[in-house]
mmCIF file of all heavy atoms in Angstrom:
data_model
loop_
_atom_site.group_PDB
_atom_site.id
_atom_site.type_symbol
_atom_site.label_atom_id
_atom_site.label_comp_id
_atom_site.label_asym_id
_atom_site.label_seq_id
_atom_site.Cartn_x
_atom_site.Cartn_y
_atom_site.Cartn_z
ATOM 1 N N SER A 12 1.363 12.047 -9.816
ATOM 2 C CA SER A 12 0.632 13.283 -9.761
ATOM 3 C C SER A 12 1.512 14.483 -9.811
ATOM 4 O O SER A 12 1.213 15.490 -10.468
ATOM 5 C CB SER A 12 -0.115 13.319 -8.386
ATOM 6 O OG SER A 12 -1.073 12.300 -8.362
ATOM 7 N N LEU A 13 2.704 14.447 -9.158
ATOM 8 C CA LEU A 13 3.625 15.572 -9.224
ATOM 9 C C LEU A 13 4.162 15.748 -10.579
ATOM 10 O O LEU A 13 4.404 16.843 -11.059
ATOM 11 C CB LEU A 13 4.742 15.342 -8.176
ATOM 12 C CG LEU A 13 4.320 15.549 -6.699
ATOM 13 C CD1 LEU A 13 5.467 15.138 -5.834
ATOM 14 C CD2 LEU A 13 3.902 16.943 -6.394
ATOM 15 N N ALA A 14 4.466 14.646 -11.266
ATOM 16 C CA ALA A 14 5.022 14.693 -12.584
ATOM 17 C C ALA A 14 4.020 15.317 -13.564
ATOM 18 O O ALA A 14 4.340 16.197 -14.384
ATOM 19 C CB ALA A 14 5.462 13.313 -13.118
ATOM 20 N N TRP A 15 2.791 14.877 -13.498
ATOM 21 C CA TRP A 15 1.743 15.461 -14.355
ATOM 22 C C TRP A 15 1.464 16.921 -14.038
ATOM 23 O O TRP A 15 1.372 17.717 -14.982
ATOM 24 C CB TRP A 15 0.396 14.710 -14.196
ATOM 25 C CG TRP A 15 0.313 13.506 -15.072
ATOM 26 C CD1 TRP A 15 0.480 12.198 -14.754
ATOM 27 C CD2 TRP A 15 0.100 13.502 -16.518
ATOM 28 N NE1 TRP A 15 0.330 11.404 -15.867
ATOM 29 C CE2 TRP A 15 0.067 12.207 -16.957
ATOM 30 C CE3 TRP A 15 -0.127 14.543 -17.414
ATOM 31 C CZ2 TRP A 15 -0.089 11.892 -18.303
ATOM 32 C CZ3 TRP A 15 -0.346 14.181 -18.725
ATOM 33 C CH2 TRP A 15 -0.343 12.884 -19.199
ATOM 34 N N GLY A 16 1.451 17.235 -12.798
ATOM 35 C CA GLY A 16 1.278 18.676 -12.410
ATOM 36 C C GLY A 16 2.410 19.507 -12.888
ATOM 37 O O GLY A 16 2.122 20.606 -13.422
ATOM 38 N N GLY A 17 3.627 19.034 -12.758
ATOM 39 C CA GLY A 17 4.797 19.810 -13.312
ATOM 40 C C GLY A 17 4.756 19.948 -14.801
ATOM 41 O O GLY A 17 5.041 21.048 -15.355
ATOM 42 N N ALA A 18 4.278 18.885 -15.503
ATOM 43 C CA ALA A 18 4.234 18.930 -16.956
ATOM 44 C C ALA A 18 3.096 19.959 -17.385
ATOM 45 O O ALA A 18 3.338 20.758 -18.308
ATOM 46 C CB ALA A 18 3.921 17.611 -17.514
ATOM 47 N N ILE A 19 2.024 19.983 -16.681
ATOM 48 C CA ILE A 19 0.952 20.911 -17.004
ATOM 49 C C ILE A 19 1.370 22.371 -16.778
ATOM 50 O O ILE A 19 1.194 23.274 -17.573
ATOM 51 C CB ILE A 19 -0.350 20.548 -16.315
ATOM 52 C CG1 ILE A 19 -0.911 19.224 -16.849
ATOM 53 C CG2 ILE A 19 -1.393 21.644 -16.350
ATOM 54 C CD1 ILE A 19 -2.038 18.632 -16.070
ATOM 55 N N LEU A 20 1.939 22.575 -15.636
ATOM 56 C CA LEU A 20 2.414 23.945 -15.250
ATOM 57 C C LEU A 20 3.489 24.435 -16.207
ATOM 58 O O LEU A 20 3.494 25.584 -16.682
ATOM 59 C CB LEU A 20 2.863 24.029 -13.836
ATOM 60 C CG LEU A 20 1.756 23.899 -12.738
ATOM 61 C CD1 LEU A 20 2.427 23.824 -11.355
ATOM 62 C CD2 LEU A 20 0.826 25.060 -12.837
ATOM 63 N N GLY A 21 4.436 23.546 -16.579
ATOM 64 C CA GLY A 21 5.511 23.921 -17.474
ATOM 65 C C GLY A 21 4.989 24.212 -18.824
ATOM 66 O O GLY A 21 5.392 25.184 -19.510
ATOM 67 N N THR A 22 4.072 23.448 -19.346
ATOM 68 C CA THR A 22 3.476 23.648 -20.644
ATOM 69 C C THR A 22 2.700 24.940 -20.737
ATOM 70 O O THR A 22 2.811 25.700 -21.616
ATOM 71 C CB THR A 22 2.503 22.500 -21.010
ATOM 72 O OG1 THR A 22 3.285 21.305 -21.001
ATOM 73 C CG2 THR A 22 1.931 22.661 -22.375
ATOM 74 N N ASN A 23 1.963 25.229 -19.606
ATOM 75 C CA ASN A 23 1.237 26.506 -19.519
ATOM 76 C C ASN A 23 2.217 27.675 -19.556
ATOM 77 O O ASN A 23 1.920 28.708 -20.208
ATOM 78 C CB ASN A 23 0.355 26.529 -18.211
ATOM 79 C CG ASN A 23 -0.473 27.791 -18.089
ATOM 80 O OD1 ASN A 23 -1.119 28.165 -19.121
ATOM 81 N ND2 ASN A 23 -0.528 28.321 -16.966
ATOM 82 N N GLN A 24 3.277 27.601 -18.851
ATOM 83 C CA GLN A 24 4.232 28.722 -18.806
ATOM 84 C C GLN A 24 4.859 28.933 -20.241
ATOM 85 O O GLN A 24 4.943 30.019 -20.692
ATOM 86 C CB GLN A 24 5.335 28.395 -17.827
ATOM 87 C CG GLN A 24 6.389 29.494 -17.755
ATOM 88 C CD GLN A 24 5.813 30.868 -17.227
ATOM 89 O OE1 GLN A 24 4.779 30.880 -16.573
ATOM 90 N NE2 GLN A 24 6.540 31.920 -17.581
ATOM 91 N N LEU A 25 5.223 27.841 -20.942
ATOM 92 C CA LEU A 25 5.744 27.972 -22.273
ATOM 93 C C LEU A 25 4.695 28.506 -23.230
ATOM 94 O O LEU A 25 5.050 29.396 -24.070
ATOM 95 C CB LEU A 25 6.191 26.594 -22.845
ATOM 96 C CG LEU A 25 7.509 26.060 -22.116
ATOM 97 C CD1 LEU A 25 7.777 24.635 -22.644
ATOM 98 C CD2 LEU A 25 8.679 26.980 -22.455
ATOM 99 N N PHE A 26 3.462 28.134 -23.122
ATOM 100 C CA PHE A 26 2.436 28.665 -23.974
ATOM 101 C C PHE A 26 2.284 30.181 -23.752
ATOM 102 O O PHE A 26 2.174 30.947 -24.593
ATOM 103 C CB PHE A 26 1.089 27.963 -23.673
ATOM 104 C CG PHE A 26 -0.054 28.567 -24.473
ATOM 105 C CD1 PHE A 26 -0.223 28.200 -25.820
ATOM 106 C CD2 PHE A 26 -0.995 29.380 -23.881
ATOM 107 C CE1 PHE A 26 -1.243 28.684 -26.539
ATOM 108 C CE2 PHE A 26 -1.993 29.918 -24.580
ATOM 109 C CZ PHE A 26 -2.154 29.571 -25.942
ATOM 110 N N ARG A 27 2.246 30.617 -22.464
ATOM 111 C CA ARG A 27 2.082 32.050 -22.164
ATOM 112 C C ARG A 27 3.215 32.841 -22.735
ATOM 113 O O ARG A 27 3.082 33.938 -23.192
ATOM 114 C CB ARG A 27 1.959 32.173 -20.657
ATOM 115 C CG ARG A 27 0.586 31.770 -20.165
ATOM 116 C CD ARG A 27 0.331 32.124 -18.725
ATOM 117 N NE ARG A 27 1.388 32.899 -18.069
ATOM 118 C CZ ARG A 27 1.716 32.842 -16.811
ATOM 119 N NH1 ARG A 27 1.098 31.993 -16.027
ATOM 120 N NH2 ARG A 27 2.607 33.557 -16.289
ATOM 121 N N MET A 28 4.488 32.288 -22.657
ATOM 122 C CA MET A 28 5.632 32.999 -23.151
ATOM 123 C C MET A 28 5.559 33.146 -24.674
ATOM 124 O O MET A 28 5.956 34.103 -25.302
ATOM 125 C CB MET A 28 6.915 32.283 -22.763
ATOM 126 C CG MET A 28 7.256 32.448 -21.260
ATOM 127 S SD MET A 28 8.652 31.434 -20.699
ATOM 128 C CE MET A 28 9.715 31.265 -22.019
ATOM 129 N N ALA A 29 5.079 32.054 -25.363
ATOM 130 C CA ALA A 29 5.053 32.023 -26.802
ATOM 131 C C ALA A 29 3.979 32.887 -27.354
ATOM 132 O O ALA A 29 4.029 33.306 -28.535
ATOM 133 C CB ALA A 29 4.931 30.591 -27.319
ATOM 134 N N THR A 30 2.916 33.159 -26.635
ATOM 135 C CA THR A 30 1.787 33.869 -27.231
ATOM 136 C C THR A 30 1.764 35.349 -26.839
ATOM 137 O O THR A 30 0.709 36.033 -26.967
ATOM 138 C CB THR A 30 0.443 33.246 -26.738
ATOM 139 O OG1 THR A 30 0.380 33.159 -25.329
ATOM 140 C CG2 THR A 30 0.316 31.855 -27.315
ATOM 141 N N VAL A 31 2.863 35.922 -26.437
ATOM 142 C CA VAL A 31 2.957 37.335 -26.109
ATOM 143 C C VAL A 31 2.818 38.074 -27.427
ATOM 144 O O VAL A 31 3.547 37.846 -28.360
ATOM 145 C CB VAL A 31 4.252 37.714 -25.431
ATOM 146 C CG1 VAL A 31 4.473 39.180 -25.263
ATOM 147 C CG2 VAL A 31 4.307 37.016 -24.008
ATOM 148 N N ALA A 32 1.864 39.032 -27.504
ATOM 149 C CA ALA A 32 1.660 39.815 -28.711
ATOM 150 C C ALA A 32 2.794 40.764 -28.912
ATOM 151 O O ALA A 32 3.141 41.561 -28.025
ATOM 152 C CB ALA A 32 0.392 40.533 -28.617
ATOM 153 N N SER A 33 3.493 40.625 -30.005
ATOM 154 C CA SER A 33 4.618 41.555 -30.306
ATOM 155 C C SER A 33 4.884 41.433 -31.801
ATOM 156 O O SER A 33 4.462 40.561 -32.497
ATOM 157 C CB SER A 33 5.888 41.171 -29.535
ATOM 158 O OG SER A 33 6.332 39.880 -29.931
ATOM 159 N N GLU A 34 5.568 42.401 -32.308
ATOM 160 C CA GLU A 34 5.954 42.472 -33.749
ATOM 161 C C GLU A 34 6.917 41.385 -34.013
ATOM 162 O O GLU A 34 7.965 41.251 -33.272
ATOM 163 C CB GLU A 34 6.521 43.881 -34.096
ATOM 164 C CG GLU A 34 6.816 44.029 -35.544
ATOM 165 C CD GLU A 34 5.552 44.022 -36.414
ATOM 166 O OE1 GLU A 34 4.515 44.416 -35.938
ATOM 167 O OE2 GLU A 34 5.626 43.633 -37.582
ATOM 168 N N LYS A 35 6.724 40.611 -35.022
ATOM 169 C CA LYS A 35 7.623 39.476 -35.357
ATOM 170 C C LYS A 35 8.279 39.830 -36.745
ATOM 171 O O LYS A 35 7.690 40.459 -37.554
ATOM 172 C CB LYS A 35 6.895 38.194 -35.518
ATOM 173 C CG LYS A 35 5.956 37.812 -34.319
ATOM 174 C CD LYS A 35 6.825 37.383 -33.152
ATOM 175 C CE LYS A 35 6.023 36.737 -32.067
ATOM 176 N NZ LYS A 35 5.099 37.503 -31.346
ATOM 177 N N THR A 36 9.500 39.394 -36.957
ATOM 178 C CA THR A 36 10.157 39.600 -38.187
ATOM 179 C C THR A 36 10.654 38.234 -38.711
ATOM 180 O O THR A 36 10.807 37.244 -37.965
ATOM 181 C CB THR A 36 11.415 40.468 -38.088
ATOM 182 O OG1 THR A 36 12.308 39.866 -37.156
ATOM 183 C CG2 THR A 36 11.012 41.843 -37.639
ATOM 184 N N VAL A 37 10.811 38.099 -40.009
ATOM 185 C CA VAL A 37 11.268 36.830 -40.637
ATOM 186 C C VAL A 37 12.712 36.566 -40.237
ATOM 187 O O VAL A 37 13.075 35.495 -39.879
ATOM 188 C CB VAL A 37 11.106 36.867 -42.156
ATOM 189 C CG1 VAL A 37 11.623 35.660 -42.796
ATOM 190 C CG2 VAL A 37 9.701 37.115 -42.534
ATOM 191 N N VAL A 38 13.560 37.601 -40.275
ATOM 192 C CA VAL A 38 14.972 37.459 -39.935
ATOM 193 C C VAL A 38 15.342 38.558 -38.956
ATOM 194 O O VAL A 38 14.849 39.702 -39.068
ATOM 195 C CB VAL A 38 15.862 37.566 -41.209
ATOM 196 C CG1 VAL A 38 17.289 37.517 -40.887
ATOM 197 C CG2 VAL A 38 15.480 36.561 -42.258
ATOM 198 N N PRO A 39 16.139 38.265 -37.954
ATOM 199 C CA PRO A 39 16.514 39.324 -36.986
ATOM 200 C C PRO A 39 17.154 40.518 -37.606
ATOM 201 O O PRO A 39 17.722 40.470 -38.680
ATOM 202 C CB PRO A 39 17.517 38.578 -36.109
ATOM 203 C CG PRO A 39 17.387 37.132 -36.335
ATOM 204 C CD PRO A 39 16.736 36.993 -37.673
ATOM 205 N N ASP A 40 16.947 41.705 -36.966
ATOM 206 C CA ASP A 40 17.478 42.919 -37.457
ATOM 207 C C ASP A 40 18.972 43.006 -37.541
ATOM 208 O O ASP A 40 19.542 43.774 -38.288
ATOM 209 C CB ASP A 40 16.956 44.078 -36.593
ATOM 210 C CG ASP A 40 15.483 44.331 -36.763
ATOM 211 O OD1 ASP A 40 14.903 43.912 -37.793
ATOM 212 O OD2 ASP A 40 14.866 44.888 -35.826
ATOM 213 N N ASP A 41 19.699 42.168 -36.749
ATOM 214 C CA ASP A 41 21.169 42.217 -36.673
ATOM 215 C C ASP A 41 21.803 41.300 -37.667
ATOM 216 O O ASP A 41 22.947 40.850 -37.445
ATOM 217 C CB ASP A 41 21.637 41.944 -35.265
ATOM 218 C CG ASP A 41 21.192 40.613 -34.778
ATOM 219 O OD1 ASP A 41 20.379 39.975 -35.385
ATOM 220 O OD2 ASP A 41 21.726 40.165 -33.728
ATOM 221 N N VAL A 42 21.166 41.009 -38.769
ATOM 222 C CA VAL A 42 21.764 40.109 -39.801
ATOM 223 C C VAL A 42 22.690 41.002 -40.690
ATOM 224 O O VAL A 42 22.313 42.034 -41.149
ATOM 225 C CB VAL A 42 20.694 39.478 -40.601
ATOM 226 C CG1 VAL A 42 21.262 38.689 -41.783
ATOM 227 C CG2 VAL A 42 19.797 38.606 -39.790
ATOM 228 N N TYR A 43 23.897 40.471 -40.898
ATOM 229 C CA TYR A 43 24.882 41.210 -41.653
ATOM 230 C C TYR A 43 25.109 40.548 -42.972
ATOM 231 O O TYR A 43 24.869 39.383 -43.087
ATOM 232 C CB TYR A 43 26.183 41.305 -40.830
ATOM 233 C CG TYR A 43 25.995 42.029 -39.532
ATOM 234 C CD1 TYR A 43 25.910 41.372 -38.359
ATOM 235 C CD2 TYR A 43 25.954 43.384 -39.515
ATOM 236 C CE1 TYR A 43 25.705 42.048 -37.148
ATOM 237 C CE2 TYR A 43 25.757 44.106 -38.328
ATOM 238 C CZ TYR A 43 25.673 43.456 -37.147
ATOM 239 O OH TYR A 43 25.488 44.124 -36.022
ATOM 240 N N PRO A 44 25.637 41.255 -43.953
ATOM 241 C CA PRO A 44 25.814 40.717 -45.303
ATOM 242 C C PRO A 44 26.686 39.453 -45.339
ATOM 243 O O PRO A 44 26.484 38.685 -46.239
ATOM 244 C CB PRO A 44 26.507 41.881 -46.079
ATOM 245 C CG PRO A 44 26.029 43.062 -45.406
ATOM 246 C CD PRO A 44 25.929 42.690 -43.934
ATOM 247 N N ASP A 45 27.565 39.226 -44.396
ATOM 248 C CA ASP A 45 28.398 38.027 -44.448
ATOM 249 C C ASP A 45 27.667 36.837 -43.809
ATOM 250 O O ASP A 45 28.186 35.725 -43.724
ATOM 251 C CB ASP A 45 29.734 38.247 -43.748
ATOM 252 C CG ASP A 45 29.584 38.678 -42.325
ATOM 253 O OD1 ASP A 45 28.515 39.156 -41.912
ATOM 254 O OD2 ASP A 45 30.568 38.579 -41.599
ATOM 255 N N ASN A 46 26.506 37.038 -43.229
ATOM 256 C CA ASN A 46 25.717 35.977 -42.636
ATOM 257 C C ASN A 46 24.834 35.328 -43.713
ATOM 258 O O ASN A 46 24.300 35.967 -44.548
ATOM 259 C CB ASN A 46 24.867 36.558 -41.505
ATOM 260 C CG ASN A 46 24.220 35.470 -40.690
ATOM 261 O OD1 ASN A 46 23.596 34.558 -41.208
ATOM 262 N ND2 ASN A 46 24.204 35.672 -39.389
ATOM 263 N N VAL A 47 24.705 33.987 -43.679
ATOM 264 C CA VAL A 47 23.964 33.271 -44.670
ATOM 265 C C VAL A 47 22.471 33.664 -44.656
ATOM 266 O O VAL A 47 21.800 33.652 -45.672
ATOM 267 C CB VAL A 47 24.093 31.691 -44.481
ATOM 268 C CG1 VAL A 47 23.439 31.230 -43.194
ATOM 269 C CG2 VAL A 47 23.507 30.971 -45.688
ATOM 270 N N LEU A 48 21.951 34.089 -43.505
ATOM 271 C CA LEU A 48 20.586 34.502 -43.355
ATOM 272 C C LEU A 48 20.314 35.766 -44.182
ATOM 273 O O LEU A 48 19.237 36.006 -44.657
ATOM 274 C CB LEU A 48 20.161 34.710 -41.974
ATOM 275 C CG LEU A 48 20.078 33.473 -41.059
ATOM 276 C CD1 LEU A 48 19.679 33.891 -39.652
ATOM 277 C CD2 LEU A 48 19.056 32.483 -41.663
ATOM 278 N N PHE A 49 21.310 36.654 -44.291
ATOM 279 C CA PHE A 49 21.178 37.826 -45.043
ATOM 280 C C PHE A 49 20.907 37.599 -46.524
ATOM 281 O O PHE A 49 19.978 38.217 -47.129
ATOM 282 C CB PHE A 49 22.440 38.679 -44.911
ATOM 283 C CG PHE A 49 22.284 40.073 -45.615
ATOM 284 C CD1 PHE A 49 21.694 41.084 -44.982
ATOM 285 C CD2 PHE A 49 22.849 40.246 -46.856
ATOM 286 C CE1 PHE A 49 21.586 42.349 -45.626
ATOM 287 C CE2 PHE A 49 22.725 41.500 -47.558
ATOM 288 C CZ PHE A 49 22.129 42.509 -46.887
ATOM 289 N N ALA A 50 21.574 36.647 -47.151
ATOM 290 C CA ALA A 50 21.409 36.356 -48.520
ATOM 291 C C ALA A 50 19.999 35.743 -48.691
ATOM 292 O O ALA A 50 19.352 36.009 -49.714
ATOM 293 C CB ALA A 50 22.483 35.322 -48.999
ATOM 294 N N ASN A 51 19.605 34.866 -47.786
ATOM 295 C CA ASN A 51 18.244 34.260 -47.921
ATOM 296 C C ASN A 51 17.122 35.375 -47.781
ATOM 297 O O ASN A 51 16.148 35.305 -48.482
ATOM 298 C CB ASN A 51 18.031 33.217 -46.928
ATOM 299 C CG ASN A 51 18.846 32.000 -47.200
ATOM 300 O OD1 ASN A 51 19.194 31.745 -48.329
ATOM 301 N ND2 ASN A 51 19.185 31.207 -46.236
#
Side-chain angles (χ1 to χ4, degrees):
S12 296
L13 289 173
W15 273 104
I19 290 170
L20 289 174
T22 301
N23 183 43
Q24 180 64 22
L25 288 174
F26 176 78
R27 287 187 6 211
M28 288 172 31
T30 57
V31 172
S33 63
E34 185 67 29
K35 307 288 192 295
T36 60
V37 176
V38 179
D40 291 335
D41 60 348
V42 174
Y43 298 101
D45 59 340
N46 187 315
V47 67
L48 292 178
F49 183 82
N51 290 335

